[in-house]
Amino acid sequence: MKTTEWLKILSDAAGVGGETGVTQAVVDLMRPLVDEVKVDTMGSVCGFRRAATPDAPTLMLEAHLDEIGLIVTGIDDKGFLQVAKCGGVDPRSLQAQPVVVFGKQPVRGMICTTPPHLAGEDKDLPDLSDTAVDVGMSKEEAEKLIAAGDRIGFAPNFAVLQNDRVSGKSLDDRAGCAAVLLALDLLKDKPLAVNLIACLAVQEELGGYGAKAAAFETAPDYAICTDVSFGLTHDAPAQECGELGKGAMLGIGPVLDRAFTLRLKALAADGDIPVQTEVLGGRTGTDADGMTTAHGGIRTTLLSIPLRYMHTPAELLATADVEAVARLMAAAAEKGVVG
């Protein structure tokens, strides 16, 4: 499978709240795998394939393509950029990070940090309002290229580690995007039991707006939302985490369709696809929450990929888990959403 290659392409692409580099990357990867590709008015990318029979139900495979980052709020007298959050950035991860400012042209920069020699006894992290970005320019030079409202993303840093692990920025949720694309690749030249929509949606990190709009517009009967969830580390509660390399995390919760979830569980067993259970007591915190009520209601379930160090520039996962999600989505499209 093309897992690592596609993860690198997707992780390295820019997609902070309105940036379109990742959109073009997704279109280029998706076009050979579907009958038709459309980019909607919000910027979400949808690919379409038709079932073998015209009266088949419609299944959407969904992941989000936007990433967290920052937004420029101003430029001070010394040329440092003042910033605010654009999505759920973890302030602990910002210190001394290389970034890219998407102004009139991309500008490399560094998030400012005080050397420990000068920080004194104050060990508290600065508030985001006190955080700045150094682009190596004077105020006058910076204003020629950068303006308030420009987005700032973490610099591309994709790395292949040991034991099928990879790390990089924005694997939340470019890993889900890769899984959807890999599912389409598995389904090439195979007859489908469903009409298939592959939706890679914008603005999940800002409130799930892209998926709601795309689900309303296309009105699928069923949807599989694919996102990341917490990967087990030495300091995390095991009951709230999935283990890397143990397969897809199948969501079970009150907002998810129980019958469809059980169908995926059965398909996983039939196809020898590794899965682990993720119990969600209320909202899932993913695009699935909004999709379930779109267009009068969509039978939605959730597959997640265990991810360590979420919402940092150094997210880490196992490629085998991405492939397990892809295989299970492909099985639903090929064998049907009901038993």
Side-chain angles (χ1 to χ4, degrees):
M1 298 179 83
K2 308 173 178 71
T3 312
T4 301
E5 175 190 351
W6 286 1
L7 281 170
K8 175 174 171 51
I9 291 170
L10 294 167
S11 173
D12 285 352
V16 178
E19 285 303 315
T20 58
V22 70
T23 303
Q24 190 56 55
V26 164
V27 169
D28 291 343
L29 290 172
M30 186 182 290
R31 185 173 282 121
L33 307 175
V34 293
D35 300 324
E36 181 183 13
V37 176
K38 292 182 179 179
V39 180
D40 70 16
T41 55
M42 294 189 70
S44 299
V45 181
C46 289
F48 301 85
R49 273 197 62 193
R50 296 167 190 84
T53 56
D55 59 346
T58 297
L59 169 65
M60 174 181 280
L61 308 179
E62 189 272 346
H64 74 85
L65 54 77
D66 61 312
E67 64 183 294
I68 59 169
L70 302 170
I71 188 168
V72 178
T73 60
I75 305 173
D76 74 13
D77 290 341
K78 297 188 181 299
F80 295 105
L81 308 185
Q82 299 156 331
V83 298
K85 287 183 180 183
C86 192
V89 172
D90 183 349
R92 298 173 301 170
S93 69
L94 293 180
Q95 300 301 294
Q97 285 295 331
V99 295
V100 181
V101 184
F102 297 98
K104 291 180 180 178
Q105 66 187 48
V107 177
R108 297 297 292 256
M110 294 290 296
I111 296 179
C112 303
T113 185
T114 304
H117 318 71
L118 303 178
E121 296 302 318
D122 183 7
K123 303 299 184 183
D124 292 336
L125 290 172
D127 292 335
L128 197 60
S129 59
D130 296 324
T131 297
V133 174
D134 187 346
V135 290
M137 299 179 183
S138 68
K139 179 180 175 67
E140 293 74 20
E141 291 170 328
E143 286 178 337
K144 292 177 182 178
L145 296 175
I146 300 166
D150 288 343
R151 309 307 196 275
I152 302 174
F154 295 120
N157 61 350
F158 187 82
V160 179
L161 308 179
Q162 289 68 240
N163 297 322
D164 92 335
R165 272 45 167 181
V166 300
S167 71
K169 74 168 186 68
S170 66
L171 293 175
D172 174 8
D173 184 32
R174 305 291 168 71
C177 296
V180 172
L181 292 166
L182 289 166
L184 294 176
D185 195 50
L186 290 170
L187 292 166
K188 273 195 313 187
D189 305 320
K190 292 184 178 180
L192 302 182
V194 295
N195 294 300
L196 190 61
I197 304 168
C199 176
L200 303 183
V202 297
Q203 296 192 25
E204 189 272 350
E205 299 290 1
L206 303 175
Y209 305 118
K212 293 175 188 175
F216 182 88
E217 175 66 21
T218 59
D221 301 293
Y222 295 83
I224 301 174
C225 177
T226 304
D227 209 321
V228 297
S229 191
F230 306 114
L232 183 64
T233 55
H234 75 284
D235 55 350
Q239 70 274 14
E240 297 180 21
C241 300
E243 293 190 54
L244 269 64
K246 295 294 182 70
M249 298 171 70
L250 179 60
I252 298 175
V255 304
L256 302 172
D257 188 86
R258 182 168 179 80
F260 190 20
T261 300
L262 292 174
R263 172 62 174 164
L264 291 187
K265 186 175 182 179
L267 288 170
D270 290 345
D272 197 24
I273 301 169
V275 295
Q276 47 193 321
T277 299
E278 180 178 29
V279 178
L280 303 154
R283 291 172 56 85
T284 69
T286 71
D287 279 335
D289 296 329
M291 294 165 65
T292 57
T293 58
H295 212 283
I298 297 168
R299 296 183 182 276
T300 302
T301 192
L302 175 65
L303 293 175
S304 296
I305 299 161
L307 180 84
R308 292 175 179 165
Y309 323 123
M310 190 184 298
H311 281 207
T312 76
E315 295 172 334
L316 186 151
L317 55 77
T319 58
D321 297 329
V322 180
E323 292 167 358
V325 170
R327 290 169 58 201
L328 189 47
M329 289 191 292
E334 185 179 5
K335 298 181 180 179
V337 293
V338 295

